[in-house]
Amino acid sequence: MVVRAVGAKLLSDENSSQTPEFTGRRNGNFGRRTMTSSNCHVPCRTTVVIMTHINTATIECPYTQGPQRVFDNLGLNMLENAWKGYNCSLFAYGQTGSGKSYSVMGFQANKGIVPLTCEELFRGIKIRQEACAEGEDFQVTFSMIEIYNEQVRDLLNPKNAPKGGLKIREHYSKGFYVDMLKVVTVNTFADIESRINEGTRNRTIASTNMNATSSRAHTIVSVTLIQKAKNQAGQMMTKTSIINLVDLAGSERVEKTGATGDRLKEGSMINQSLSTLGNVIKALADLGSGKKAAHIPYRDSKLTMLLKNALGGNSKTIMIAAISPADDNYEETLSTLRYADRAKSIRTKAIINESPTEKLIRELREENARLLQQLQTGGGGAMGSNIKGIPEHEVEEMKKALEEQIHRNKSEMDEMEKSWQQRFSEAEAANMEKLVLEQKKQEQMKVVPHFWNLNEDPALTGMVVHFIHDGKSHIGNKNADPAPEILLAGLSILKEHAVVKRNKKNVVKIKQVGKAKVLVNGKELQEEKELHHNDRVMFGSNHLYVLHHPQDLAKNMKAGKKEEKVTYDQAQTEIAENSGFNMQKGPGQTKEDLLVQEDLIEMMPLVSEANAMSEELDKKVRFEIAIVAPAVKGLKHGRTEVNVVIRNLENGTEFMWQRNKFLNRKYMMQEMYQNYMEGDSDWDVEKEKDPFWEPPETEALIGYVHLYLQSLGYMIELEETLSITDYKGLERGHLSVEGVPCRSNGSEFDESEDAFVEEPSELEGKSMYFRLKILNARGLPVQFNKSFCRYKFYLDEQTNQTKEIEGTINPNFGHNHLISCNPVTKQVMDAEDRHKLLVEINTHKKRADKMETKLRKIYDMVLEAKKEDGTGTLNASEVEEVLKSGYKEQFKAAGRVIQTVNESKACVIQ
């Protein structure tokens, strides 16, 4: 196996002494970063470092030449092997955003290895056809699949999408293959380019509809080259080479993704394939280095089953290791390079796949005869002899599989007997209709207003187009009757979602239907609104589009207005701004501010999608963004965290999830939602495995107290009653704390003893002891059942904790801890002078009683009413509906905070 590493080395001006400065931007999931620089010639994902078995060479290349240079060094050699009849594989490994897709698929004008390989392949076919002898033939087929969440999808035939994805079967000689996969004949590079665009478009639609994340999916493009020619003995021979080009999902570590410590960290299948790939490579590397043969777990994931030949079988394989220069990706970069180094130890056993054509056809006929006999005898062979002990439905499945295999073999024989010209004619007829439709679409886009999609992955942006024709265009899901002109599927899309109108003057207006969620330029749509060129429109939670209005565009250009391309980040930024977050950029913003803004751009759509899934699955939880500054945690420096608060709408309990824990859970939410959409009866799981559920008894943070220790440096007692504040800065109670200087045995000084010092420096080199007392807390929120405090002093190795107090909002902790500084150093004095002791007040929450839950629900209803009409007025029937399951005395208790307004039959909170 040959291993290549892409990325890592940056170009700069040889005559310049300046070091390029970068602004790191998270773009996507799990810390994906794109680097930008005004001083650097090239972003991080373009420079190439090549590692071979023996030598190491470095190739530096500008951004626009990156994929071409990679192809010149890898692709040409791979094609040469394909012409010889070897199977070839190339797969790109590395973290999200490091340049895998850019290297393999390319972007816009910069073609990646896949299109460059296909282009060069057909150039070679054309040259050989001009010089070929009679009877020589060249045939090329193409297929494209995606593996997401251990499910295989055919990107060229999205209608063939059985529950659980396409099945993977094993042939006794060919190995693993995807059953019922659409394999198309291609005749020119333009055909392949069209198929790649078709597959990418289907991938975009599927990922949007199923709320999938493109960076967590594997894409496999397979190109099969068949060469027929006579050998020296005059016998017709067939050479077959399968070229697999694989773009793997991001390889972020589990620790970085935040799954560590989560009770459901092993619950997601998102990373299963990459974990298995790592295990397979390790086992094969051990085998290649002479260690005792161990079990190689190919069958543990769909990806490794399909890559079995590429990794340890009949294939010449190249691995691209894509790495990032961002400093916070240091560990991932090392991990990727170690991974690549291990992969270099693998030895594959490639052979030329050449056989007499007649022999191949004869073998297929013999296999068909054997399968037919098995089918007629109810299974045949050992299967037939044991058929009595097999359930009837399993027997039917076996028969069905045999029938499918017979059909596939017959199709393969028919294909072998066809000439290239016959294949060409059939493919041309099949493609003509699509070509006409595509040409018509391109012409319409020049004159007809239309929506085009935005996606976090630039390669998937602009792949979906919806035209706005004269009159009304209804937008909705498949349940609408009649079917809408613009059909959308996925999160929060109602059957009647919105209506777009276009009159004879090409004025386009949009209006939501009922309570459907529609955002225009980041603002919630409340009434009919006229749309203009480049307006951003979001339908539901994740259908983000831009309006292209040719007539508007022409007017703007005539008026001298500059045309600007709308990006996904720009659209998400304005949504965040209209949600109340400061997204301003300029000289007043620090690097930390910009990084927080990038985190918000990433997190806000994810939180919106999680809320939509919760609502659709009736999980009765809601997620909110929580920004936690380092100062809240008593830190002078550090990153401001963008976390997520999960709130249980039934009992009012709230928990804060760190960003990475939320991301891990969201992938599991997506799995659950996908099962629900596919009609799986077992989509819902028990609470312990439910990603939406957090046990009420889970530890949660009430707030912080910052205790200044400066007076102890003068050996003066410290006695404070301090406010407990949460991450929002809201007061959640008070904490009484004392710090008392004492002797080494913990006994306090008498009043007659004067331990006071004029300057803290007098204590330097001496021993110092004091007792930290956490006496009590007062006025904690009523929903907390147990409470305790936790802190860590500067010199302590372990965290200290008070005892848990239960059943009161005014707990008496009575905590008394001896702290020693022996001897007192300059470091200790500085810490006492400058730093604060951070005390966390934590809780185990109690389950809110029914009455409390109902009052919370009514309060939420009032807040919603205030948002809608500004009055906070509710219908009495709605309030009664909330309270009707309660007892009479509970209803009376509720009446003390609710006033019935007879005239309007409405309720308002006092």
Side-chain angles (χ1 to χ4, degrees):
M1 178 181 286
V2 179
V3 182
R4 304 289 190 261
V6 179
K9 196 172 191 323
L10 296 167
L11 294 179
S12 58
D13 190 345
E14 292 180 0
N15 299 320
S16 173
S17 61
Q18 287 185 326
T19 301
E21 295 180 0
F22 295 96
T23 299
R25 179 173 69 83
R26 248 188 209 95
N27 180 12
N29 296 297
F30 292 145
R32 171 179 169 187
R33 286 184 180 274
T34 301
M35 308 300 292
T36 58
S37 170
S38 56
N39 301 332
C40 186
H41 298 292
V42 29
C44 68
R45 51 187 184 185
T46 58
T47 308
V48 181
V49 179
I50 295 183
M51 301 186 300
T52 65
H53 289 302
I54 303 170
N55 301 318
T56 300
T58 302
I59 296 178
E60 297 179 343
C61 50
Y63 183 79
T64 54
Q65 296 177 14
Q68 181 66 52
R69 187 67 65 87
V70 176
F71 172 75
D72 290 344
N73 285 273
L74 307 179
L76 290 176
N77 181 259
M78 182 173 62
L79 266 181
E80 185 181 337
N81 287 323
W83 284 115
K84 293 176 182 177
Y86 292 106
N87 290 336
C88 302
S89 299
L90 180 145
F91 64 97
Y93 178 89
Q95 68 184 99
T96 303
S98 58
K100 300 184 305 300
S101 298
Y102 180 73
S103 299
V104 176
M105 304 301 292
F107 181 62
Q108 294 180 351
N110 300 322
K111 295 177 182 176
I113 294 174
V114 171
L116 288 172
T117 299
C118 297
E119 191 173 26
E120 188 63 30
L121 174 64
F122 280 104
R123 188 179 291 117
I125 288 176
K126 185 177 180 181
I127 294 171
R128 285 167 173 80
Q129 281 179 332
E130 290 173 353
C132 70
E134 185 179 351
E136 286 190 32
D137 196 12
F138 302 94
Q139 303 172 7
V140 181
T141 62
F142 178 87
S143 66
M144 189 174 181
I145 65 170
E146 180 180 68
I147 303 174
Y148 180 82
N149 195 25
E150 283 301 291
Q151 295 189 12
V152 181
R153 293 199 290 250
D154 187 349
L155 294 178
L156 298 184
N157 187 17
K159 293 181 180 178
N160 181 23
K163 181 181 176 182
L166 297 177
K167 293 185 181 298
I168 293 180
R169 303 193 186 278
E170 187 174 16
H171 190 273
Y172 71 94
S173 63
K174 298 175 184 176
F176 293 106
Y177 65 93
V178 180
D179 193 23
M180 306 300 289
L181 178 66
K182 183 175 181 179
V183 180
V184 297
T185 300
V186 286
N187 311 297
T188 63
F189 171 66
D191 285 350
I192 282 191
E193 197 170 35
S194 173
R195 294 295 184 178
I196 291 175
N197 289 335
E198 179 186 349
T200 305
R201 183 163 51 249
N202 291 332
R203 180 184 173 205
T204 307
I205 294 170
S207 66
T208 305
N209 291 351
M210 297 309 300
N211 193 34
T213 306
S214 62
S215 63
R216 309 307 296 169
H218 316 287
T219 305
I220 302 178
V221 171
S222 294
V223 179
T224 303
L225 170 64
I226 301 171
Q227 306 170 70
K228 293 181 181 179
K230 290 182 180 180
N231 61 12
Q232 292 179 348
Q235 188 179 25
M236 184 62 74
M237 303 293 288
T238 298
K239 279 184 187 177
T240 304
S241 174
I242 301 173
I243 306 172
N244 286 314
L245 303 162
V246 187
D247 180 14
L248 295 175
S251 61
E252 288 78 10
R253 295 175 294 115
V254 173
E255 292 85 358
K256 188 67 178 279
T257 65
T260 304
D262 187 5
R263 64 185 176 87
L264 296 181
K265 64 182 177 182
E266 303 298 335
S268 175
M269 291 192 294
I270 287 289
N271 293 314
Q272 179 177 324
S273 53
L274 280 177
S275 299
T276 305
L277 179 62
N279 295 336
V280 167
I281 287 180
K282 183 179 184 302
L284 289 171
D286 290 344
L287 195 63
S289 61
K291 292 186 180 179
K292 186 178 178 181
H295 169 66
I296 301 173
Y298 289 116
R299 294 177 178 273
D300 287 1
S301 84
K302 303 288 179 65
L303 176 69
T304 49
M305 288 166 74
L306 293 177
L307 292 183
K308 182 179 179 181
N309 266 343
L311 294 169
N314 175 22
S315 176
K316 285 184 175 287
T317 301
I318 296 170
M319 171 184 171
I320 295 177
I323 55 180
S324 164
D327 55 358
D328 69 338
N329 293 328
Y330 174 76
E331 292 295 334
E332 284 80 0
T333 295
L334 283 182
S335 175
T336 300
L337 291 176
R338 291 190 192 104
Y339 199 96
D341 189 56
R342 188 182 300 143
K344 291 198 304 182
S345 303
I346 299 173
R347 295 292 180 267
T348 57
K349 300 174 183 177
I351 60 172
I352 294 176
N353 304 301
E354 184 176 31
S355 296
T357 306
E358 293 79 5
K359 179 186 175 184
L360 293 173
I361 296 174
R362 186 181 71 248
E363 287 176 348
L364 285 170
R365 282 178 178 155
E366 289 172 355
E367 185 181 3
N368 260 14
R370 178 177 58 82
L371 293 171
L372 193 59
Q373 185 180 5
Q374 285 185 11
L375 190 62
Q376 291 169 349
T377 58
M383 194 186 300
S385 63
N386 296 327
I387 201 163
K388 291 182 181 179
I390 301 176
E392 187 176 342
H393 72 277
E394 291 189 17
V395 174
E396 290 302 319
E397 286 181 6
M398 293 176 192
K399 289 182 177 180
K400 186 178 179 182
L402 291 172
E403 289 172 352
E404 290 173 353
Q405 185 64 49
I406 291 170
H407 176 72
R408 280 192 297 272
N409 288 349
K410 187 175 183 306
S411 299
E412 196 169 338
M413 284 188 291
D414 293 340
E415 291 295 315
M416 282 185 178
E417 292 171 343
K418 289 178 182 177
S419 68
W420 172 257
Q421 192 58 43
Q422 286 175 302
R423 283 170 169 262
F424 182 86
S425 300
E426 290 176 5
E428 192 173 38
N431 290 334
M432 188 56 68
E433 185 179 351
K434 285 187 177 180
L435 185 62
V436 171
L437 289 174
E438 184 62 27
Q439 288 176 341
K440 182 181 177 182
K441 174 184 168 183
Q442 294 299 326
E443 290 300 319
Q444 278 187 303
M445 289 173 66
K446 296 176 183 178
V447 295
V448 179
H450 58 272
F451 292 117
W452 54 272
N453 76 299
L454 281 174
N455 193 286
E456 65 170 342
D457 185 345
L460 303 185
T461 289
M463 300 305 298
V464 181
V465 172
H466 295 294
F467 289 102
I468 303 171
H469 297 289
D470 289 337
K472 290 184 179 181
S473 294
H474 295 83
I475 300 172
N477 63 29
K478 63 181 180 180
N479 297 321
D481 187 20
E485 288 77 11
I486 298 177
L487 179 65
L488 301 178
L491 287 171
S492 303
I493 299 298
L494 308 182
K495 65 179 182 179
E496 295 178 359
H497 200 93
V499 177
V500 181
K501 300 176 185 177
R502 175 183 159 211
N503 63 22
K504 294 181 179 179
K505 294 182 179 180
N506 282 314
V507 175
V508 178
K509 294 184 177 181
I510 187 171
K511 186 178 182 181
Q512 83 281 12
V513 176
K515 294 184 178 181
K517 180 182 177 183
V518 180
L519 301 181
V520 177
N521 298 331
K523 297 179 181 179
E524 192 169 344
L525 188 63
Q526 301 288 352
E527 56 187 15
E528 188 175 69
K529 181 179 179 64
E530 182 177 348
L531 296 179
H532 299 281
H533 180 67
N534 271 355
D535 277 349
R536 286 74 59 201
V537 183
M538 176 178 274
F539 302 101
S541 297
N542 62 342
H543 283 272
L544 187 55
Y545 289 89
V546 178
L547 176 69
H548 179 84
H549 198 307
Q551 291 74 27
D552 255 13
L553 175 60
K555 290 178 184 176
N556 293 342
M557 293 180 69
K558 191 174 181 180
K561 292 183 180 178
K562 187 179 179 181
E563 167 72 357
E564 292 185 2
K565 187 73 172 178
V566 180
T567 67
Y568 176 84
D569 281 1
Q570 288 172 350
Q572 291 295 347
T573 296
E574 68 182 358
I575 292 173
E577 284 178 340
N578 285 288
S579 299
F581 294 105
N582 177 15
M583 304 298 288
Q584 295 298 318
K585 292 179 172 62
Q589 299 294 318
T590 65
K591 180 181 176 181
E592 291 299 322
D593 293 335
L594 296 176
L595 289 173
V596 172
Q597 290 178 5
E598 296 299 340
D599 285 342
L600 283 169
I601 290 173
E602 175 193 5
M603 293 292 287
M604 286 201 63
L606 302 181
V607 170
S608 178
E609 290 166 14
N611 281 326
M613 286 188 283
S614 171
E615 185 175 347
E616 200 159 332
L617 299 177
D618 195 27
K619 287 298 179 179
K620 295 181 173 59
V621 295
R622 184 160 186 83
F623 302 93
E624 296 174 0
I625 293 283
I627 298 178
V628 182
V632 173
K633 298 184 290 184
L635 302 175
K636 278 197 170 184
H637 307 286
R639 282 289 309 277
T640 296
E641 296 177 1
V642 179
N643 295 332
V644 176
V645 171
I646 174 175
R647 181 182 178 195
N648 188 310
L649 298 179
E650 288 189 309
N651 57 35
T653 55
E654 291 182 359
F655 300 96
M656 184 178 292
W657 287 353
Q658 288 191 336
R659 167 184 174 273
N660 294 324
K661 177 178 178 178
F662 168 74
L663 292 176
N664 180 60
R665 288 291 189 94
K666 184 178 176 291
Y667 285 126
M668 287 179 273
M669 295 174 196
Q670 288 172 207
E671 292 174 22
M672 177 180 281
Y673 181 73
Q674 185 172 340
N675 293 335
Y676 167 77
M677 291 294 290
E678 291 176 351
D680 192 338
S681 58
D682 298 327
W683 69 266
D684 207 358
V685 295
E686 57 268 27
K687 278 190 173 182
E688 287 70 22
K689 295 181 179 179
D690 191 339
F692 290 93
W693 186 71
E694 194 71 16
E697 60 273 13
T698 300
E699 182 180 310
L701 179 70
I702 299 175
Y704 303 94
V705 160
H706 303 288
L707 180 64
Y708 289 88
L709 303 175
Q710 188 176 9
S711 64
L712 292 175
Y714 298 88
M715 297 296 283
I716 298 176
E717 287 187 12
L718 159 64
E719 186 176 338
E720 298 278 0
T721 297
L722 303 166
S723 294
I724 302 169
T725 54
D726 64 9
Y727 70 96
K728 295 179 182 178
L730 300 177
E731 188 175 289
R732 308 303 299 272
H734 293 85
L735 187 72
S736 295
V737 185
E738 290 182 5
V740 183
C742 64
R743 302 184 183 92
S744 59
N745 62 3
S747 60
E748 298 180 11
F749 293 112
D750 297 331
E751 290 183 5
S752 59
E753 297 179 87
D754 186 8
F756 172 76
V757 294
E758 293 287 343
E759 290 293 335
S761 57
E762 295 178 29
L763 295 174
E764 196 169 332
K766 300 178 182 178
S767 297
M768 172 186 173
Y769 304 90
F770 68 92
R771 286 195 171 278
L772 181 66
K773 300 179 181 180
I774 300 179
L775 305 178
N776 57 59
R778 295 292 182 258
L780 298 181
V782 294
Q783 65 265 35
F784 299 138
N785 187 32
K786 293 181 179 180
S787 55
F788 59 95
C789 300
R790 185 183 289 141
Y791 64 93
K792 183 179 179 182
F793 184 62
Y794 177 74
L795 296 176
D796 287 346
E797 293 182 1
Q798 296 181 340
T799 301
N800 299 297
Q801 181 174 313
T802 68
K803 60 184 178 181
E804 291 187 2
I805 306 298
E806 186 175 359
T808 177
I809 62 172
N810 299 308
N812 293 315
F813 297 114
H815 178 75
N816 194 327
H817 177 60
L818 176 64
I819 295 175
S820 62
C821 303
N822 189 8
V824 175
T825 64
K826 184 73 164 58
Q827 275 185 313
V828 173
M829 300 311 299
D830 287 345
E832 288 182 339
D833 183 53
R834 295 203 314 253
H835 295 286
K836 299 170 285 189
L837 179 67
L838 181 72
V839 182
E840 294 180 0
I841 296 82
N842 296 282
T843 180
H844 291 116
K845 300 186 178 182
K846 69 177 182 180
R847 296 179 183 272
D849 59 31
K850 291 182 178 179
M851 195 64 246
E852 184 180 338
T853 300
K854 291 172 183 177
L855 291 176
R856 282 178 175 273
K857 189 169 184 179
I858 293 170
Y859 183 65
D860 287 342
M861 291 165 63
V862 172
L863 292 179
E864 189 65 28
K866 283 183 176 180
K867 183 190 278 188
E868 289 182 1
D869 59 20
T871 64
T873 303
L874 298 176
N875 289 328
S877 58
E878 292 179 356
V879 177
E880 187 178 4
E881 182 68 24
V882 176
L883 298 169
K884 67 180 180 180
S885 60
Y887 298 107
K888 289 182 179 179
E889 53 270 27
Q890 290 177 322
F891 192 93
K892 288 177 182 177
R896 285 195 289 270
V897 293
I898 298 174
Q899 174 189 19
T900 303
V901 184
N902 296 320
E903 294 79 11
S904 62
K905 296 187 181 297
C907 295
V908 293
I909 292 291
Q910 291 294 302

